[in-house]
């Protein structure tokens, strides 16, 4: 049945094809362009202006109205402030997860409902399913593009109001459809990263908001190897930019960040990609979010501890309601506090939490 659907148009090809498919299905479609960042918004690093032009050009071809809305205040309060708090605490947050939960499927959803929409849609590669009276979050059909990892904090209310029109498509077929439909952004490069950083050097950006707090770099035995500029500027598994050279007997073996001692402000580094300190077989996560509303209980599942990672077989252990405990079949490399662990039961994304 035709519905009034508000589509988040980013200027990219995925959201444009989502709008096109909904329009062709007979829905009353309105495009909404979200501006989420204002500080230092220039064409060199943050392409908001080009994105809006691209979204408007696509909307014109599709034949839908486009509204631009500014969520930068909400973004700064709900996403960026938390981003800085996590880095200051020595963790490595994932702002894309928080942006989906707080902006795209909260502030945007609320705005769309005020516009009289019955549903919202985005260009995410994911699918919504049903089991009885419960909504399910399913992986996108294109395994290489699946974005359910970033959507794992969506709840039943949000899923009941969202459509993912491109979730059934492969990216190659989507670009072909865009070309055939005459969409001007059919070959536009996919965006990477988050707008407020863009392509700028990350350390330079973070230094504008967080003070440097220099400390000592040590190896696993506590031997001093050098100085770091502040624990916030390093992440577990990092290899480049540590500033530690080789040592006698092990020339050429790269160093990796393996841990942080917040109380003594020490950065722990080890040599070799396969050093035991870079692996964890178990993890705990806080702030759990379950798509169904309930924790799945002890069972064999798979999990990702970062987006670009193959599923790893694991067991969800019994834990308090405020915590997730995961035991992996095989040790996992560079499990990073602040990132999300996301659990799956085959195609079904169950939810996840923030790694501690």
């Amino acid at each position: 049945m035709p519905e009034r659907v508000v589509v988040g148009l980013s200027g990219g090809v995925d959201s444009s094809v989502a709008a096109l498919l909904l329009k062709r299905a007979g829905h009353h479609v309105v495009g909404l362009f979200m501006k989420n960042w204002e500080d230092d918004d220039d064409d060199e690093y943050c392409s908001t202006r080009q994105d809006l032009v691209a979204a408007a050009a696509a909307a014109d071809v599709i034949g839908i109205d486009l509204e631009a809305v500014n969520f930068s205040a909400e973004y700064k309060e709900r996403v960026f402030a938390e981003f800085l708090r996590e880095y200051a605490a020595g963790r490595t947050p994932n702002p894309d997860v928080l942006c989906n939960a707080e902006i795209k499927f909260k502030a945007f959803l609320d705005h769309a409902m005020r516009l009289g929409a019955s549903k919202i849609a985005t260009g995410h590669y994911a699918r919504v399913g049903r089991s009885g009276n419960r909504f399910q979050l399913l992986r996108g059909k294109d395994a290489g593009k699946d974005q359910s990892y970033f959507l794992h904090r969506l709840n039943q209310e949000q899923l009941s109001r969202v459509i993912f029109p491109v979730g059934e498509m492969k990216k190659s077929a989507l670009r072909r459809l865009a070309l055939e439909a005459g969409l001007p952004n059919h070959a536009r490069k996919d965006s990477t990263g988050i707008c407020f950083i863009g392509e700028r050097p990350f350390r330079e950006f973070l230094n504008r908001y967080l003070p440097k707090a220099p400390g000592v770099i040590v190896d696993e035995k506590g031997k001093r190897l050098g100085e770091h500029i502040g624990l916030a500027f390093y992440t577990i598994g990092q290899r480049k930019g540590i500033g530690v050279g080789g040592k006698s007997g092990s020339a050429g073996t790269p160093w990796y960040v393996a841990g942080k001692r917040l109380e003594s402000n020490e950065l722990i580094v080890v040599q070799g990609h396969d050093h035991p300190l870079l692996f964890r077989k178990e993890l705990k996560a806080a702030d759990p979010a379950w798509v169904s509303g309930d924790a799945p209980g002890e069972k064999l599942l798979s999990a990702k501890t970062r987006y670009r990672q193959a599923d790893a077989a694991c067991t969800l252990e019994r834990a308090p309601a405020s915590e997730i405990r995961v035991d992996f079949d095989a040790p996992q490399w560079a499990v990073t506090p602040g990132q999300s662990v996301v659990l799956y039961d085959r195609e079904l994304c169950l939810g996840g939490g923030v790694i501690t």
Side-chain angles (χ1 to χ4, degrees):
M1 193 174 81
E3 297 181 272
R4 183 176 172 84
V5 184
V6 175
V7 183
L9 280 185
S10 66
V13 67
D14 298 332
S15 60
S16 298
V17 169
L20 176 68
L21 291 172
L22 290 167
K23 173 83 175 191
R24 286 182 174 180
H27 297 295
H28 177 57
V29 181
V30 177
L32 193 78
F33 179 85
M34 290 173 269
K35 181 176 172 67
N36 295 330
W37 187 252
E38 285 194 321
D39 292 18
D40 189 23
D41 182 6
D42 56 60
D43 289 341
E44 183 182 0
Y45 292 124
C46 189
S47 59
T48 302
R49 279 187 289 278
Q50 299 103 294
D51 291 341
L52 178 55
V53 168
D60 189 49
V61 170
I62 298 165
I64 61 173
D65 292 334
L66 178 69
E67 178 192 346
V69 64
N70 193 325
F71 290 135
S72 55
E74 290 90 338
Y75 194 96
K76 203 157 194 180
E77 178 188 336
R78 301 185 201 175
V79 179
F80 188 61
E82 179 65 14
F83 170 89
L84 290 181
R85 273 194 296 273
E86 284 289 282
Y87 267 107
R91 293 183 287 272
T92 306
N94 191 319
D96 293 323
V97 170
L98 204 54
C99 180
N100 281 327
E102 293 294 333
I103 305 298
K104 292 180 182 172
F105 297 92
K106 196 169 282 184
F108 166 42
L109 178 58
D110 291 344
H111 186 84
M113 294 302 114
R114 287 194 295 271
L115 293 177
S118 56
K119 293 278 177 69
I120 64 167
T122 69
H124 285 98
Y125 286 84
R127 295 172 293 147
V128 177
R130 288 289 292 267
S131 177
N133 62 353
R134 295 244 178 144
F135 291 88
Q136 298 173 313
L137 177 62
L138 303 170
R139 301 180 199 258
K141 284 286 190 183
D142 189 333
K145 289 291 181 181
D146 167 49
Q147 291 172 301
S148 58
Y149 178 92
F150 297 116
L151 302 167
H152 74 270
R153 300 194 71 84
L154 297 189
N155 58 35
Q156 289 291 297
E157 172 63 22
Q158 290 165 321
L159 282 177
S160 74
R161 295 184 178 276
V162 68
I163 308 171
F164 297 124
V166 307
E168 298 282 345
M169 300 186 73
K170 297 273 188 178
K171 182 74 178 213
S172 55
L174 181 142
R175 284 204 183 273
R176 196 160 53 246
L177 175 62
L179 174 62
E180 291 165 357
L183 291 178
N185 55 359
H186 65 85
R188 196 171 193 228
K189 185 181 172 188
D190 290 342
S191 61
T192 57
I194 38 186
C195 181
F196 60 76
I197 295 172
E199 302 299 321
R200 84 183 78 234
F202 179 72
R203 191 175 281 182
E204 169 198 298
F205 171 81
L206 204 57
N207 192 45
R208 289 165 45 190
Y209 296 92
L210 293 177
K212 287 185 179 177
V216 177
I217 300 175
V218 298
D219 65 13
E220 70 269 33
K221 294 175 182 173
K223 181 182 176 182
R224 179 181 177 134
L225 299 173
E227 281 200 357
H228 64 77
I229 61 170
L231 296 180
F233 298 89
Y234 304 85
T235 188
I236 305 302
Q238 179 177 329
R239 180 180 141 191
K240 295 180 179 177
I242 301 171
V244 175
K247 62 181 181 181
S248 59
S250 57
T253 307
W255 291 89
Y256 293 84
V257 174
K260 301 176 182 183
R261 293 195 184 112
L262 298 179
E263 63 284 350
S264 58
N265 194 25
E266 290 178 313
L267 185 73
I268 306 163
V269 298
V270 295
Q271 275 193 302
H273 181 278
D274 296 328
H275 192 286
L277 283 185
L278 287 168
F279 290 86
R280 281 171 66 178
K281 193 171 184 298
E282 300 174 326
L283 66 76
K284 292 181 181 179
D287 195 20
W290 301 110
V291 173
S292 70
D294 299 311
E298 293 178 85
K299 63 190 300 184
L300 298 173
L301 299 167
S302 65
K304 293 176 185 284
T305 57
R306 61 186 69 220
Y307 173 52
R308 293 288 182 197
Q309 179 191 44
D311 282 35
C314 67
T315 304
L316 183 62
E317 305 284 358
R318 187 186 299 277
S322 61
E323 189 177 81
I324 296 173
R325 292 179 188 169
V326 176
D327 182 16
F328 290 98
D329 290 12
Q332 299 298 297
W333 190 81
V335 173
T336 305
Q339 291 287 295
S340 294
V341 59
V342 179
L343 291 130
Y344 292 86
D345 188 352
R346 295 178 291 276
E347 291 299 294
L348 196 62
C349 178
L350 301 174
V354 181
I355 299 167
T356 57

